[in-house]
Amino acid sequence: MEKIKLSEVGLTNAPSAIIGLTVDHNVAQVTVDSLSKVEYASLISGTDKMRYTQLRYGSSSGAGSRILLFVPISGLTDKVDATGVLGSLFVLRAGIEYSPMMVKADIVLFRSASRLIKDMNVTGAWGGGDGSVNFKLGHCNYNGQLYLAIKLNTEYSLTTCFQGFYTSDCVFRNVIEEDVTDWTDL
Protein backbone atom coordinates (compact mmCIF):
# COMPACT_ATOMS: atom_id res chain seq x y z
CA MET A 1 0.00 0.00 0.00
CA GLU A 2 1.32 3.41 -0.96
CA LYS A 3 1.42 6.00 1.83
CA ILE A 4 0.51 9.61 1.23
CA LYS A 5 1.80 12.14 3.74
CA LEU A 6 -0.69 14.64 5.09
CA SER A 7 1.86 17.37 4.37
CA GLU A 8 1.49 16.55 0.65
CA VAL A 9 -2.21 17.45 0.73
CA GLY A 10 -2.88 21.17 0.43
CA LEU A 11 -5.12 22.52 3.20
CA THR A 12 -7.21 25.65 2.59
CA ASN A 13 -10.64 26.83 3.66
CA ALA A 14 -12.14 24.11 1.46
CA PRO A 15 -10.71 20.63 0.95
CA SER A 16 -8.56 20.45 -2.17
CA ALA A 17 -8.26 16.66 -2.33
CA ILE A 18 -9.80 13.48 -1.02
CA ILE A 19 -7.77 10.38 -0.18
CA GLY A 20 -9.48 7.03 -0.69
CA LEU A 21 -9.27 3.56 -2.17
CA THR A 22 -9.50 2.78 -5.87
CA VAL A 23 -11.43 -0.16 -7.32
CA ASP A 24 -8.30 -2.34 -7.08
CA HIS A 25 -7.82 -1.29 -3.40
CA ASN A 26 -4.91 1.09 -3.93
CA VAL A 27 -4.71 4.38 -2.05
CA ALA A 28 -5.30 7.36 -4.33
CA GLN A 29 -5.58 11.10 -4.01
CA VAL A 30 -8.26 12.80 -6.10
CA THR A 31 -8.59 16.56 -6.36
CA VAL A 32 -11.99 17.94 -5.40
CA ASP A 33 -12.12 19.88 -8.67
CA SER A 34 -12.06 16.62 -10.64
CA LEU A 35 -15.09 15.19 -8.78
CA SER A 36 -18.42 15.48 -10.51
CA LYS A 37 -20.44 18.29 -8.96
CA VAL A 38 -24.01 19.23 -9.63
CA GLU A 39 -25.34 22.74 -9.17
CA TYR A 40 -28.89 22.71 -10.45
CA ALA A 41 -31.33 25.62 -10.57
CA SER A 42 -34.97 24.56 -10.39
CA LEU A 43 -37.04 26.32 -13.05
CA ILE A 44 -40.42 25.49 -11.49
CA SER A 45 -39.92 26.37 -7.82
CA GLY A 46 -42.18 29.43 -7.92
CA THR A 47 -39.47 32.00 -7.23
CA ASP A 48 -36.57 30.38 -9.13
CA LYS A 49 -34.66 30.34 -5.82
CA MET A 50 -34.25 26.56 -5.42
CA ARG A 51 -30.82 25.04 -6.08
CA TYR A 52 -29.36 21.56 -5.72
CA THR A 53 -25.77 20.71 -4.87
CA GLN A 54 -23.72 17.60 -4.21
CA LEU A 55 -20.77 19.38 -2.60
CA ARG A 56 -21.17 22.58 -0.57
CA TYR A 57 -18.20 22.95 1.82
CA GLY A 58 -17.68 25.13 4.83
CA SER A 59 -15.00 25.08 7.50
CA SER A 60 -14.12 26.82 10.73
CA SER A 61 -11.03 27.17 12.86
CA GLY A 62 -10.21 28.27 16.37
CA ALA A 63 -11.83 27.50 19.71
CA GLY A 64 -15.45 28.16 20.60
CA SER A 65 -18.89 26.60 20.21
CA ARG A 66 -19.97 26.37 16.57
CA ILE A 67 -23.07 27.56 14.75
CA LEU A 68 -23.68 27.01 11.04
CA LEU A 69 -25.76 29.84 9.58
CA PHE A 70 -27.96 28.61 6.75
CA VAL A 71 -29.92 31.59 5.50
CA PRO A 72 -31.10 35.10 6.47
CA ILE A 73 -34.84 35.12 7.23
CA SER A 74 -35.88 38.73 7.69
CA GLY A 75 -37.82 40.55 4.98
CA LEU A 76 -39.87 37.58 3.71
CA THR A 77 -42.98 39.01 2.10
CA ASP A 78 -45.49 36.28 1.26
CA LYS A 79 -46.17 32.53 1.39
CA VAL A 80 -44.37 31.86 -1.92
CA ASP A 81 -41.14 33.53 -0.83
CA ALA A 82 -39.72 30.66 1.22
CA THR A 83 -36.09 30.26 2.18
CA GLY A 84 -34.11 27.36 3.65
CA VAL A 85 -32.55 23.92 3.15
CA LEU A 86 -33.62 20.31 2.55
CA GLY A 87 -30.84 17.74 2.51
CA SER A 88 -27.98 16.12 4.38
CA LEU A 89 -25.31 17.87 6.39
CA PHE A 90 -22.02 16.07 7.03
CA VAL A 91 -19.89 17.34 9.93
CA LEU A 92 -16.28 16.18 10.26
CA ARG A 93 -13.70 16.89 12.94
CA ALA A 94 -10.47 14.98 13.28
CA GLY A 95 -7.22 15.38 15.10
CA ILE A 96 -4.84 13.96 17.65
CA GLU A 97 -5.31 16.59 20.36
CA TYR A 98 -9.12 16.37 20.52
CA SER A 99 -11.93 13.91 19.94
CA PRO A 100 -13.01 13.20 16.36
CA MET A 101 -16.59 13.80 15.24
CA MET A 102 -18.31 12.21 12.25
CA VAL A 103 -21.99 13.05 11.82
CA LYS A 104 -24.64 12.93 9.12
CA ALA A 105 -27.78 14.97 9.84
CA ASP A 106 -30.79 14.98 7.52
CA ILE A 107 -32.34 18.44 7.78
CA VAL A 108 -35.51 20.20 6.65
CA LEU A 109 -35.47 23.85 7.69
CA PHE A 110 -37.63 26.28 5.69
CA ARG A 111 -39.21 29.58 6.61
CA SER A 112 -41.82 31.66 4.82
CA ALA A 113 -43.62 34.74 6.09
CA SER A 114 -46.30 32.64 7.76
CA ARG A 115 -44.82 29.18 8.34
CA LEU A 116 -41.77 27.37 9.71
CA ILE A 117 -41.04 23.80 8.61
CA LYS A 118 -38.34 22.05 10.60
CA ASP A 119 -37.12 18.51 11.16
CA MET A 120 -33.75 16.93 11.82
CA ASN A 121 -32.67 13.31 12.01
CA VAL A 122 -29.07 12.78 13.15
CA THR A 123 -27.74 9.46 11.85
CA GLY A 124 -24.35 7.83 11.71
CA ALA A 125 -23.21 10.02 14.55
CA TRP A 126 -20.10 9.64 16.64
CA GLY A 127 -18.40 12.48 18.39
CA GLY A 128 -16.64 13.84 21.38
CA GLY A 129 -15.16 12.07 24.36
CA ASP A 130 -18.51 10.58 25.40
CA GLY A 131 -19.64 9.91 21.82
CA SER A 132 -22.73 12.12 22.09
CA VAL A 133 -23.93 14.43 19.34
CA ASN A 134 -26.47 17.05 20.37
CA PHE A 135 -27.25 19.37 17.45
CA LYS A 136 -30.06 21.96 17.67
CA LEU A 137 -31.96 23.79 14.96
CA GLY A 138 -32.71 27.42 15.74
CA HIS A 139 -32.43 31.01 14.71
CA CYS A 140 -30.11 33.79 15.86
CA ASN A 141 -28.81 37.23 15.01
CA TYR A 142 -25.42 37.64 13.36
CA ASN A 143 -24.14 41.09 12.38
CA GLY A 144 -27.65 42.51 12.81
CA GLN A 145 -29.28 39.91 10.53
CA LEU A 146 -31.67 37.12 11.63
CA TYR A 147 -30.62 33.64 10.38
CA LEU A 148 -31.93 30.07 10.37
CA ALA A 149 -29.08 28.02 11.82
CA ILE A 150 -27.89 24.83 13.47
CA LYS A 151 -25.88 24.71 16.70
CA LEU A 152 -23.12 22.07 16.64
CA ASN A 153 -21.91 20.74 20.00
CA THR A 154 -18.21 21.11 19.43
CA GLU A 155 -15.56 23.50 20.69
CA TYR A 156 -13.04 22.64 17.95
CA SER A 157 -12.44 23.39 14.28
CA LEU A 158 -14.60 21.41 11.88
CA THR A 159 -15.57 20.95 8.26
CA THR A 160 -19.15 20.80 7.02
CA CYS A 161 -20.47 19.57 3.69
CA PHE A 162 -24.08 20.03 2.59
CA GLN A 163 -25.79 17.94 -0.07
CA GLY A 164 -29.33 18.66 -1.16
CA PHE A 165 -31.74 21.47 -2.02
CA TYR A 166 -31.31 25.04 -0.81
CA THR A 167 -32.55 28.48 -1.75
CA SER A 168 -30.17 30.80 -3.57
CA ASP A 169 -29.96 33.16 -0.57
CA CYS A 170 -28.30 30.50 1.66
CA VAL A 171 -24.84 31.38 2.99
CA PHE A 172 -23.63 28.18 4.78
CA ARG A 173 -21.36 30.22 7.08
CA ASN A 174 -19.67 28.69 10.16
CA VAL A 175 -19.43 31.14 13.07
CA ILE A 176 -18.52 30.97 16.74
CA GLU A 177 -21.42 31.12 19.20
CA GLU A 178 -19.91 34.19 20.90
CA ASP A 179 -20.44 36.13 17.65
CA VAL A 180 -24.22 35.57 17.58
CA THR A 181 -26.99 36.93 19.79
CA ASP A 182 -30.50 35.87 20.67
CA TRP A 183 -30.13 32.13 19.93
CA THR A 184 -33.57 30.47 20.04
CA ASP A 185 -34.11 26.72 19.72
CA LEU A 186 -36.83 25.82 17.22
Side-chain angles (χ1 to χ4, degrees):
M1 180 183 294
E2 179 186 351
K3 291 184 179 180
I4 297 175
K5 295 179 182 176
L6 187 58
S7 62
E8 296 173 358
V9 179
L11 299 175
T12 63
N13 286 343
S16 60
I18 296 173
I19 298 173
L21 294 177
T22 63
V23 174
D24 55 354
H25 303 289
N26 290 317
V27 175
Q29 179 177 337
V30 178
T31 62
V32 170
D33 291 337
S34 69
L35 296 174
S36 61
K37 297 181 192 101
V38 174
E39 291 287 339
Y40 169 74
S42 174
L43 301 177
I44 56 172
S45 64
T47 60
D48 294 330
K49 287 175 59 175
M50 288 300 292
R51 304 289 185 262
Y52 175 78
T53 185
Q54 286 181 331
L55 301 169
R56 185 73 186 236
Y57 294 107
S59 63
S60 67
S61 60
S65 296
R66 306 293 169 187
I67 292 177
L68 175 61
L69 304 175
F70 286 119
V71 64
I73 58 174
S74 59
L76 297 177
T77 57
D78 57 35
K79 292 181 182 179
V80 177
D81 191 19
T83 191
V85 296
L86 167 64
S88 296
L89 178 68
F90 301 88
V91 180
L92 303 170
R93 180 183 78 209
I96 297 171
E97 306 263 336
Y98 48 85
S99 301
M101 174 184 280
M102 294 154 274
V103 181
K104 177 184 178 255
D106 295 319
I107 297 171
V108 177
L109 188 56
F110 271 90
R111 178 79 184 162
S112 70
S114 62
R115 172 172 274 168
L116 173 70
I117 302 168
K118 66 176 179 69
D119 189 31
M120 178 172 55
N121 183 25
V122 177
T123 59
W126 186 84
D130 61 2
S132 67
V133 173
N134 182 21
F135 293 174
K136 295 178 181 177
L137 295 177
H139 59 76
C140 60
N141 281 297
Y142 176 74
N143 284 342
Q145 177 71 51
L146 188 62
Y147 285 88
L148 289 176
I150 185 171
K151 188 182 284 190
L152 310 169
N153 65 320
T154 178
E155 294 285 327
Y156 302 104
S157 302
L158 54 83
T159 298
T160 59
C161 180
F162 177 79
Q163 176 181 351
F165 292 94
Y166 65 99
T167 53
S168 58
D169 44 2
C170 286
V171 295
F172 298 100
R173 180 177 297 136
N174 284 294
V175 297
I176 296 175
E177 187 174 6
E178 294 171 353
D179 294 339
V180 304
T181 58
D182 305 319
W183 173 267
T184 304
D185 289 343
L186 296 175

